[in-house]
């Protein structure tokens, strides 16, 4: 029997918020993991909502689906996925699945989930949403008087209309009950009951908006995290003197406004927000249990990308190429298919892998040429001998454009920064990425080896090698190196 498929995707959630011994209280994701499989090295291909979500829904890298940054503003590099790109949801629909989409889309401005097989329920981040500044709005906002002093939890943005951005705060129980994410969880729970355990298989995507900044949570969850007990990340004191100037500017100009205690309070609010989302997820799991269909349902809990959450003194996501922005939760439960439940798997997994997994689970053919591969062998505890040992990461910037390509293995992380000096971290000795070895002559061979492997992955993903013009040909070992004997 084909399984039902329940997908819950949050926004901005780090992988370590769902670990059994992690920093966050997420008992419902732990409940899922205890009866399923946790993929502890799950990565998004790009550290931004739109390219990451487009990769999830298409099982393709940004270089192949064409989404590179926020599609809902004037600085976009494209309005959405390339024409003709088929999403796996259309295959499920054609196979007879009852399809339901709730919440955040952010994949294409010209099409919506309904164009790709889904029945829509309160979809957000579509073509009608504008996420950016315009001069008229700036003029209106500039008329308000900024506070005389920066309030606690705010960040000063002079000249951007609102002079202060409130980055974390508590909400009341009434606000909690009326929040957008809680309404989505309520609606998803009702739909799960409605779909029930009937003969027609169903698929449901629930796109929650948290814990995207500003981090907010009801006081009852904030009270579970004592501010004095919230530690600063091991990399917090990193001066980043050996890293690109843009990284330091982001810290010094923006998040450097906070001292250590305010930084810990921001982390506290982020963790409380994740716990609140976990509570909503538990509500959906309870609804699934009540229908009697839990054994017949593949459930995935994941996120589009992560958040630095204090790493290197940073928050949010974007250009600094650190684990916090790229590494996300990836937990699957399907009682009828998971062998030895409760396992943690450290294989290199991409958001692109989940679509092929759904197709194989549904008994459908997985199309050739996808960036992702099905995770079904891992669920069956049958590790493929030829599984990838490295992952390509792609970024062309957010709205401030830069070219950045990166390769991550179990032991090394190398980043080619076309806008500044490169980065190389020995993850075995330096898991928090504090010591950049890229300019150390002793590691020149490692840089060249990883460059070649990175370019080979770019070649496989139809990623442009760029130009050979002298002012932009800056890689220490350029793309032609993959066609020479190593």
């Amino acid at each position: 029997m084909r399984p039902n498929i329940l997908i819950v995707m949050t926004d901005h959630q780090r992988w370590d918020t769902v670990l059994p011994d992690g920093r966050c209280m997420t008992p419902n994701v732990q409940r899922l993991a205890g009866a399923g499989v946790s993929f502890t090295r799950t990565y998004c291909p790009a550290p931004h909502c739109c390219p990451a979500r487009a990769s999830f829904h298409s099982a393709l890298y940004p270089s192949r689906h064409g989404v590179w940054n926020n599609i809902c503003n004037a600085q976009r590099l494209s309005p959405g996925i390339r024409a003709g790109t088929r999403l796996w949801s259309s295959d499920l629909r054609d196979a007879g699945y009852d399809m339901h989409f709730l919440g955040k889309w952010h994949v294409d401005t010209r099409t919506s989930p309904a164009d790709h097989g889904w029945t829509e329920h309160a979809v957000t981040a579509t073509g009608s949403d504008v996420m950016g500044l315009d001069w008229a709005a700036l003029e209106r906002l500039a008329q308000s008087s900024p506070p005389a002093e920066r309030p606690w939890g705010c960040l000063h943005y002079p000249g951007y209309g609102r002079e202060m951005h409130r980055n974390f705060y508590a909400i009341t129980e009434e606000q909690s009950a009326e929040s957008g994410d809680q309404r989505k969880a309520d609606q998803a729970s009702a739909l799960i009951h409605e779909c029930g355990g009937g003969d027609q298989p169903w698929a449901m995507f629930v796109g929650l908006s948290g814990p995207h900044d500003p981090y907010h949570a009801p006081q009852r969850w904030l009270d579970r995290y004592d501010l004095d007990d919230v530690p600063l990340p091991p990399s917090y004191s990193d001066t980043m003197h050996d890293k690109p100037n843009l990284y330091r500017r982001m810290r010094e100009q923006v998040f450097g406004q906070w001292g250590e205690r305010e930084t810990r309070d921001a982390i506290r609010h982020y963790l409380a927000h994740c716990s609140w989302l976990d509570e909503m997820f538990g509500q959906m799991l309870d609804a699934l249990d009540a229908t009697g269909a839990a054994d017949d349902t593949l459930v995935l809990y994941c996120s589009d990308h992560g958040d630095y959450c204090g790493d290197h003194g940073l928050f949010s996501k974007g250009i600094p190429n650190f684990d916090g922005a790229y590494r996300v939760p990836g937990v699957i439960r399907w009682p009828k298919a998971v062998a030895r439940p409760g396992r943690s798997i450290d294989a290199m997994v991409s958001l692109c892998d989940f679509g092929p997994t759904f197709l194989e689970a549904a008994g459908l053919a997985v199309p050739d040429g996808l960036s992702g591969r099905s995770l079904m062998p891992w669920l069956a505890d049958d590790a493929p001998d030829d599984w990838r040992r490295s992952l390509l990461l792609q970024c062309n910037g957010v709205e401030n454009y830069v070219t950045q390509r990166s390769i991550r293995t179990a032991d090394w992380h190398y980043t080619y920064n076309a806008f500044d000096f490169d980065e190389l971290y020995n993850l075995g000795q330096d898991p928090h990425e504090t010591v950049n070895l890229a300019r150390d002559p002793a590691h020149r061979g490692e840089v060249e080896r990883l460059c070649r492997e990175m370019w080979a992955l770019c070649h496989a993903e139809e990623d442009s090698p760029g130009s050979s013009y002298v002012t932009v040909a800056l890689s220490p070992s350029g793309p032609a190196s993959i066609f020479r004997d190593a």
Side-chain angles (χ1 to χ4, degrees):
M1 181 177 177
R2 294 174 295 173
N4 307 312
I5 299 171
L6 173 62
I7 303 156
V8 177
M9 174 179 276
T10 59
D11 189 340
H12 265 247
Q13 189 166 2
R14 297 165 56 97
W15 88 100
D16 56 4
T17 58
V18 300
L19 297 180
D21 55 351
R23 63 209 298 202
C24 194
M25 301 174 200
T26 51
N28 291 297
V29 179
Q30 295 309 312
R31 166 182 162 195
L32 190 78
V37 173
S38 297
F39 294 96
T40 57
R41 286 186 179 174
T42 301
Y43 287 86
C44 61
H48 201 200
C49 296
C50 296
R53 288 169 183 270
S55 288
F56 177 84
H57 286 286
S58 68
L60 298 171
Y61 262 80
S63 53
R64 297 174 65 197
H65 59 59
V67 177
W68 289 101
N69 70 329
N70 193 334
I71 58 176
C72 293
N73 67 33
Q75 298 299 318
R76 64 192 184 187
L77 293 173
S78 75
I81 54 176
R82 291 192 180 115
T85 301
R86 185 172 176 87
L87 308 188
W88 47 259
S89 51
S90 293
D91 295 321
L92 291 180
R93 183 267 321 274
D94 291 350
Y97 270 74
D98 182 19
M99 308 287 288
H100 299 276
F101 193 107
L102 299 88
K104 189 168 183 178
W105 171 235
H106 227 189
V107 171
D108 193 77
T109 58
R110 301 154 303 185
T111 65
S112 70
D115 297 300
H116 301 279
W118 300 98
T119 298
E120 297 185 10
H121 307 270
V123 177
T124 62
T126 61
S128 61
D129 292 320
V130 177
M131 303 175 184
L133 298 172
D134 64 65
W135 292 110
L138 281 173
E139 185 176 10
R140 288 194 305 272
L141 290 168
Q143 307 310 312
S144 60
S145 299
E149 296 183 2
R150 181 184 65 81
W152 183 267
C154 289
L155 293 168
H156 191 205
Y157 286 74
Y160 280 87
R162 290 189 179 94
E163 298 293 302
M164 302 288 179
H165 180 63
R166 195 177 176 198
N167 238 52
F168 61 86
Y169 54 89
I171 60 174
T172 66
E173 288 298 321
E174 183 178 3
Q175 290 171 322
S176 165
E178 294 300 318
S179 72
D181 279 348
Q182 184 60 65
R183 289 198 300 269
K184 292 172 198 169
D186 293 343
Q187 190 170 12
S189 299
L191 272 171
I192 290 170
H193 279 286
E194 186 178 316
C195 291
D199 293 334
Q200 183 183 15
W202 52 265
M204 189 178 302
F205 179 92
V206 185
L208 303 178
S209 298
H212 194 297
D213 60 296
Y215 318 126
H216 59 273
Q219 191 66 47
R220 58 190 164 82
W221 275 112
L222 285 166
D223 290 343
R224 301 285 294 276
Y225 294 90
D226 190 321
L227 179 57
D228 292 328
D229 293 335
V230 174
L232 292 169
S235 63
Y236 175 76
S237 59
D238 182 10
T239 63
M240 296 197 282
H241 71 276
D242 58 351
K243 298 174 178 63
N245 286 303
L246 180 59
Y247 295 15
R248 292 198 300 279
R249 181 175 186 177
M250 190 181 295
R251 175 170 184 168
E252 293 169 7
Q253 183 173 321
V254 182
F255 300 108
Q257 296 176 43
W258 292 341
E260 290 190 7
R261 190 166 182 81
E262 206 165 357
T263 298
R264 288 206 308 273
D265 204 10
I267 296 171
R268 169 178 169 249
H269 280 74
Y270 178 84
L271 299 178
H273 200 159
C274 290
S275 293
W276 181 34
L277 294 169
D278 181 80
E279 179 181 83
M280 299 178 207
F281 180 55
Q283 177 183 340
M284 293 179 247
L285 290 183
D286 289 345
L288 186 61
D289 288 342
T291 68
D295 285 350
D296 298 314
T297 304
L298 187 160
V299 182
L300 168 68
Y301 188 92
C302 65
S303 189
D304 56 355
H305 55 75
D307 190 298
Y308 303 122
C309 196
D311 291 349
H312 308 273
L314 302 169
F315 287 83
S316 195
K317 82 288 183 186
I319 307 309
N321 193 333
F322 297 125
D323 223 29
Y326 281 89
R327 196 169 172 186
V328 297
V331 184
I332 291 179
R333 184 187 75 185
W334 182 15
K336 289 191 174 179
V338 172
R340 294 198 305 117
R343 285 178 291 128
S344 291
I345 295 172
D346 64 359
M348 305 292 284
V349 168
S350 168
L351 284 185
C352 295
D353 296 329
F354 293 118
T357 305
F358 304 147
L359 294 178
E360 184 174 350
L364 303 177
V366 177
D368 294 332
L370 298 179
S371 302
R373 293 180 59 181
S374 172
L375 298 169
M376 287 297 292
W378 294 105
L379 301 188
D381 199 17
D382 184 17
D385 293 334
D386 62 345
W387 193 261
R388 70 175 73 89
R389 288 175 170 76
S390 61
L391 270 176
L392 174 68
L393 309 175
Q394 297 179 328
C395 183
N396 281 353
V398 183
E399 275 80 28
N400 292 327
Y401 304 120
V402 300
T403 300
Q404 189 177 63
R405 294 294 184 271
S406 177
I407 182 172
R408 180 176 286 277
T409 71
D411 302 315
W412 294 94
H413 182 198
Y414 168 73
T415 301
Y416 166 47
N417 291 312
F419 60 94
D420 208 325
F421 295 114
D422 295 351
E423 298 166 81
L424 175 69
Y425 303 106
N426 184 330
L427 300 177
Q429 299 175 7
D430 180 26
H432 303 291
E433 302 172 303
T434 58
V435 180
N436 182 7
L437 303 171
R439 303 180 74 188
D440 182 345
H443 290 89
R444 177 71 186 190
E446 199 65 48
V447 167
E448 292 180 354
R449 180 186 71 80
L450 288 167
C451 267
R452 287 193 297 272
E453 188 172 352
M454 178 194 74
W455 286 120
L457 292 172
C458 286
H459 180 251
E461 292 299 334
E462 303 172 16
D463 194 357
S464 170
S467 170
S468 61
Y469 190 61
V470 65
T471 59
V472 294
L474 299 175
S475 172
S477 184
S481 62
I482 70 172
F483 301 110
R484 301 193 186 108
D485 292 334

